[in-house]
Amino acid sequence: SLGDFRKLGRMGGVTLGFFLFTTMMALTIGLVLTNLIEPGALLSDTDRAILLGSFTASSVMSNAAEAPSMLDQLVSIVPTNPFGSLARGEMLQIIFFATMIGIAFTLMETKKAKVAVSLFESLNDAMVVLVHVAMKLAPFGVAALLFEVVGNTGLGVLIALGAYGGVVILGLLLHITITYMPVVKFYAGLPFLGFIRAIRSALVLAFSTSSSSATLPVTMEACESNLKVNGEVTSFVLPIGATVNMDGTALYQGVAAIFIAQIYGIDLSLGDQATIVLSATMASVGAAGVPGAGMLTLAMVLAAVGVPVQGVALIIGVDRILDMFRTTTNVVGDSTATVLVAKIQGNPIGVVSPEEDAADPTAGMEGRLDDVQPNPVDLDSE
């Protein structure tokens, strides 16, 4: 979407570097909390044995033995057969190949590249529609899974799931406080509560839709109208952030991987947890900004450390609630990166005060909507 790879430059380097740093910070916070609290250990041995059911210790050890090392995983990022990687769902290889193809398109003549880019954009939109269709059906499947789990194991499993959800939410709050707040307050020079109020419309939409992509237009409006950020910065940073910056998703995947490993009784070494950081960082980059997308990429993170991917079924029942919180965190991160880049670029920024908002009808987001009139839609016209 950049159109010119050279546009990455300073702005792109700061943006991508900030997103990478905050993603790794989120993962670190999540892993530390999960290791300290150990929500998976709250299940009794009896409940755990019933919950695991047909998964025997030998199959778990077999999965762990087959887990690739970190060096092997780094080498295997470059696919020998991109179409084979697509068929097998190897996300790291797919992301690498897609990135290289994207760079190649930006280096080609615009007229020639535009046809292929438009095709991929249409395919992406179609996949987003399919995800939304799947998420419409998901509540019925989730309800069935919860009924089965609770019916077979009793209420004990809900205590562990509640603790797991609490760890994720606590980690997200700590990430916002430790990572985002100092950047906004001390570098950008904005009051953090004022910053949150300025983007509250985007946060409400993110919380209700669980979709960074659906929230993107509102986030751009909030940053431009309420934080005085230049449109060039918002149009560059925020679309990239809606796709690449998935701190909440990364933190949740790290917590989920450790939690599921604790349920299965698998002890993950420091090397395994470092692999989780690498895998979850790449997986969060590859996760679409639509509801439930993080659940799809979690399977890759589990496979990277030899944890049975069937363990996803243990946590899917509470995923939608947690998705609302982690999407909100992602939007806070995107907005933080926007004010950071604007400050580095030398653009004047600031929180629009209530007085400025009242004195200038064009200030604030409501000014954009005053002249908007509804247009009738003729359903009979072609």
Side-chain angles (χ1 to χ4, degrees):
S1 298
L2 292 176
D4 184 355
F5 184 63
R6 292 170 295 182
K7 285 184 180 179
L8 277 174
R10 185 182 183 189
M11 188 187 298
V14 171
T15 302
L16 297 178
F18 178 78
F19 288 154
L20 179 63
F21 169 74
T22 58
T23 298
M24 298 189 74
M25 279 290 294
L27 274 163
T28 302
I29 292 171
L31 293 180
V32 170
L33 284 177
T34 313
N35 281 292
L36 289 176
I37 299 175
E38 296 187 343
L42 296 178
L43 273 180
S44 66
D45 293 338
T46 302
D47 287 341
R48 181 179 289 106
I50 297 174
L51 184 62
L52 298 182
S54 60
F55 301 114
T56 62
S58 59
S59 66
V60 171
M61 292 306 295
S62 175
N63 283 326
E66 294 173 0
S69 66
M70 183 183 296
L71 179 60
D72 291 337
Q73 189 168 348
L74 281 172
V75 172
S76 66
I77 287 177
V78 182
T80 55
N81 183 349
F83 296 100
S85 298
L86 284 166
R88 293 187 293 269
E90 296 170 341
M91 289 299 300
L92 287 175
Q93 290 87 337
I94 294 170
I95 293 170
F96 179 86
F97 181 69
T99 302
M100 299 308 297
I101 287 292
I103 292 173
F105 280 145
T106 65
L107 298 177
M108 288 172 56
E109 185 180 345
T110 303
K111 182 172 64 176
K112 293 181 178 179
K114 187 176 181 180
V115 177
V117 172
S118 298
L119 173 62
F120 283 121
E121 287 178 343
S122 298
L123 288 173
N124 179 72
D125 291 341
M127 296 305 298
V128 169
V129 171
L130 289 178
V131 171
H132 279 290
V133 171
M135 293 310 298
K136 291 290 185 183
L137 300 174
F140 301 101
V142 169
L145 283 170
L146 278 180
F147 283 138
E148 180 184 5
V149 170
V150 175
N152 290 332
T153 65
L155 297 177
V157 67
L158 293 183
I159 297 175
L161 285 175
Y164 155 74
V167 170
V168 173
I169 294 173
L170 176 61
L172 294 175
L173 292 175
L174 285 176
H175 182 57
I176 291 173
T177 304
I178 296 174
T179 308
Y180 297 149
M181 187 168 71
V183 175
V184 172
K185 187 174 181 64
F186 299 113
Y187 187 83
L190 301 176
F192 189 70
L193 291 180
F195 167 78
I196 294 296
R197 283 195 298 270
I199 61 171
R200 63 185 180 277
S201 55
L203 299 183
V204 170
L205 186 61
F207 189 80
S208 58
T209 63
S210 298
S211 172
S212 299
S213 297
T215 310
L216 178 58
V218 180
T219 310
M220 294 178 70
E221 285 283 347
C223 288
E224 292 176 17
S225 301
N226 296 343
L227 293 173
K228 307 178 183 178
V229 179
N230 187 287
E232 181 180 340
V233 175
T234 59
S235 63
F236 177 86
V237 177
L238 289 175
I240 294 178
T243 302
V244 174
N245 182 42
M246 296 290 178
D247 290 357
T249 302
L251 186 146
Y252 135 82
Q253 288 178 338
V255 173
I258 301 293
F259 174 73
I260 294 171
Q262 291 171 352
I263 293 291
Y264 281 98
I266 300 175
D267 291 326
L268 297 178
S269 65
L270 288 177
D272 292 329
Q273 297 194 35
T275 302
I276 289 176
V277 172
L278 173 65
S279 302
T281 299
M282 295 301 293
S284 66
V285 169
V290 296
M295 184 63 69
L296 303 178
T297 54
L298 174 59
M300 185 198 75
V301 178
L302 296 178
V305 290
V307 177
V309 295
Q310 295 90 340
V312 170
L314 303 177
I315 61 171
I316 195 172
V318 295
D319 180 68
R320 176 62 180 183
I321 297 173
L322 298 179
D323 199 1
M324 298 164 72
F325 286 95
R326 62 182 186 253
T327 303
T328 305
T329 302
N330 293 341
V331 172
V332 175
D334 295 344
S335 303
T336 301
T338 302
V339 296
L340 171 67
V341 172
K343 187 73 173 181
I344 292 175
Q345 293 290 104
N347 298 335
I349 57 175
V351 177
V352 174
S353 66
E355 293 75 17
E356 290 177 298
D357 194 2
D360 185 359
T362 64
M365 289 186 62
E366 69 278 3
R368 305 293 185 95
L369 304 177
D370 289 343
D371 298 327
V372 175
Q373 298 296 327
N375 295 315
V377 178
D378 186 358
L379 297 179
D380 296 328
S381 64
E382 296 182 359

